[in-house]
Structure formats: structure tokens, C-alpha cells
Amino acid sequence: MDLTEIGVIIGGLLLIAFVLWYFFGERTAVSAQTAESGVQEIRVTVKGGYSPDVIVVRQGKPVRLDFYRDETASCSEQVIFGDFGIAKHLPAFETTPIEFTPETPGEFTFTCGMNMMRGKLVVTGV
Ligand SMILES: [Cu+2]
């Protein structure tokens, strides 16, 4: 391996790092953890936004998103997963589970009832 090849490899790695940073760096993409029951679980804190606001799950396995609403601001009292036909009321300072099984890979936006707060569910293929 000569210096040129090493340079190309390093350049390629830097490019990959840059692409990852560009698309994911600003937001926090977090993968759901699969419990023993086989359910992909993740806790989402609702406070002026969703944290994490990018959630990665696998296709074809049940998902449970535990939304903990850590505020009383009316903006966040509802969460809507339009692609899954889900609209749920989130009582303040309580955890509300939202359960479904994503059958198709893709990116699905979820929002508050006013479409102001946004998050993204990324469903990856098997
Ligand atoms: Cu809102």
C-alpha cells in the first residue's frame, strides 16, 4: 500500500464521517432496544420537542414508544403518527405507551396535534 492508497482510504473515511455528521449530527438518532419479549422499546421525553426526535426501529417487529410528557404546555398534549393512523392524548407527567408494528421500511414523521413539534421514526428493513 503506498501513500496515495492510504490517502484515498483516509479521504473516503472522512467523507463517510462527514455524510453521517451531515445527516445525523444535528439530531440524535437513537435505536430502540429490543426487550426479551421481542418488543422494540424506547422512551421519548416530550418537552418543547421530542427527545430523541429520530427513532430507529426494525421493520416487522412490534414497537413500543413510551412517551413521557414532562410539561403541561398544551402544544404537546397530543401526538400523531399519521402513517399508522395513531393519535394519542398524552397526559402531563405521565408515560403513555404507543404500540404498533411497522410493516414497511421508510421514514415516518410524527407530530404534535398542531403539527409544530416533529420527530421522525426510521424503519429499517430486515
Ligand atoms: Cu403543538
Side-chain angles (χ1 to χ4, degrees), residues 75-76 112-117:
C75 181
S76 60
C112 71
M114 307 149 198
N115 205 10
M116 290 154 62
M117 287 163 42

Side-chain angles (χ1 to χ4, degrees), residues 1-16:
M1 205 187 295
D2 64 21
L3 272 178
T4 312
E5 287 175 305
I6 292 170
V8 167
I9 290 168
I10 289 173
L13 290 174
L14 285 175
L15 186 66
I16 290 168

Side-chain angles (χ1 to χ4, degrees), residues 14-32:
L14 285 175
L15 186 66
I16 290 168
F18 173 76
V19 168
L20 288 174
W21 170 81
Y22 183 82
F23 285 105
F24 300 112
E26 295 275 318
R27 315 179 110 199
T28 45
V30 178
S31 295

Side-chain angles (χ1 to χ4, degrees), residues 39-87:
V39 178
Q40 308 178 79
E41 293 177 332
I42 195 160
R43 182 181 162 94
V44 182
T45 301
V46 182
K47 191 172 191 177
Y50 300 109
S51 175
D53 63 354
V54 180
I55 298 165
V56 181
V57 297
R58 302 263 304 273
Q59 162 193 17
K61 287 184 174 175
V63 169
R64 189 169 89 208
L65 308 172
D66 289 319
F67 279 85
Y68 177 70
R69 182 164 165 236
D70 194 19
E71 64 180 1
T72 54
S74 63
C75 181
S76 60
E77 67 190 5
Q78 215 187 13
V79 66
I80 295 173
F81 286 77
D83 298 291
F84 301 94
I86 294 171

